[in-house]
Amino acid sequence: MVVDSGQPLARPSDTPLPQGRRGAGGEGPLTVRREELARLEPEWRELLARCPAAPVFLSPVWLKTWWQEFGADKELVLLSVRDDGELVGVAPLMRSGGQMAFAGDTEVCDYMDFACAGGCQPALLTAVLRSLSEEPWQELSLWAMREDSPALAALPAACAEMGLQLQVEPEDVCPQLSLPGSWEEYLAGLDRKDRHELRRELRRLPQAGEPELEVLAAPPDVVAALDDFLRLHTASRAEKAAFMTEQMARFFRRLVSALAEEGLVEMTFLKLGGKRVAAVLCFRGDRQTLLYNSGYDPEYAGFSVGLLSKALALQRAIGLGHKRFDFLRGAEPYKYDLGARDLAVYRCIIRRGRVDV
């Protein structure tokens, strides 16, 4: 399916702010317009280049890949926000029946938000919501918004101004940790029991074979290793095998290949005696590493290769001078064993009209 065909676009909607309200750049009224992805992509990329902290899930390559695989029964509602013609925000939305939501899904997207230059200001959200008043929908679900999102903080005022009902509810957690300058500093910051266990498992590892960390980042190397990654992923747990359907595997291949071309992927394998026994797929960000997915050979589970492959990826991130290691969505115990602390993500449900209490 081609992203920009098969879904009729509504008439573009210019949405000036109320008199006296200025846009994010302070130069003129904001306008909101329906866009085609292929046409907007170059400007969207330029916008994200000015937003180094924006997660990879907000990139046009992510949306394009997800939509090609999963968007067949949905309508893409891609909105641009401009200040005197300059792109200052993107709202990547989709519609199915009377429901609208961020484009994507929680199975594969850990964070979602509006792409905004200089932080998401209330004026920008008000402009988007005003534009959406021209669209047919009953409920708008803004899912996977980080607790530190400027848009999350600005939503109550924007919804109140538009007479919309807003419900904010916890959705999940994304454990992460700030990285120190050295591995020894990191170890020293762990709980005593966790530090002892990690050191003990690292000392035991050579009993299973000579340890080696294989790091792949060049696109041809990453693509060539995808079969091994998927093999280890599906072998490690029954729920991972159930998750990795043929369609999902196709999405992973397309996504990883596309992001590797952008220089955003690092795949690491823990090898024992030359054999790949565990794998970690990470995304690179602004001086941060995001651990997206992983897998291991159950034959080596007794040597904790799943945990150690992640610890070694964390050690590598410290060596690269990264400041944050993000384990992304899910409260798996190993993340806390490695020192992570929760960052909450929220789902914001917006409904038209007010509900009498």
Side-chain angles (χ1 to χ4, degrees), residues 153-329:
L155 268 174
C159 288
E161 182 172 341
M162 293 299 300
L164 298 170
Q165 178 197 1
L166 173 65
Q167 177 182 341
V168 180
E169 56 192 33
E171 183 176 89
D172 210 333
V173 293
C174 291
Q176 54 188 255
L177 51 90
S178 298
L179 298 180
S182 72
W183 177 246
E184 288 304 318
E185 286 180 76
Y186 162 73
L187 291 175
L190 290 177
D191 174 89
R192 181 178 177 181
K193 177 179 178 293
D194 293 334
R195 180 171 61 249
H196 171 77
E197 286 299 313
L198 180 56
R199 282 176 165 161
R200 185 178 71 85
E201 295 297 343
L202 286 169
R203 286 195 301 267
R204 288 181 62 242
L205 193 58
Q207 296 175 20
E210 182 64 28
E212 176 189 352
L213 189 67
E214 180 184 17
V215 180
L216 306 175
D221 297 336
V222 170
V223 171
L226 273 169
D227 283 345
D228 272 352
F229 173 82
L230 292 173
R231 172 180 60 82
L232 292 167
H233 176 273
T234 55
S236 55
R237 294 208 310 268
E239 56 265 38
K240 287 195 172 188
F243 166 80
M244 194 57 71
T245 62
E246 181 180 343
Q247 183 182 33
M248 188 61 72
R250 190 165 57 240
F251 168 73
F252 261 68
R253 290 181 185 279
R254 290 175 173 173
L255 179 71
V256 172
S257 177
L259 292 179
E261 292 290 344
E262 307 257 327
L264 296 174
V265 169
E266 184 168 281
M267 187 180 293
T268 62
F269 288 94
L270 172 58
K271 299 171 73 174
L272 293 175
K275 180 181 179 181
R276 290 171 170 171
V277 300
V280 175
L281 173 64
C282 293
F283 298 142
R284 295 167 167 171
D286 180 34
R287 301 187 72 187
Q288 62 178 329
T289 295
L290 292 78
L291 195 159
Y292 185 62
N293 224 309
S294 62
Y296 66 90
D297 186 338
E299 183 181 340
Y300 293 84
F303 289 92
S304 301
V305 294
L307 173 70
L308 294 182
S309 62
K310 300 171 182 70
L312 292 172
L314 197 156
Q315 183 182 43
R316 173 169 169 76
I318 293 173
L320 291 172
H322 288 188
K323 297 301 182 185
R324 183 163 297 277
F325 195 94
D326 193 333
F327 289 98
L328 296 176
R329 186 183 288 259

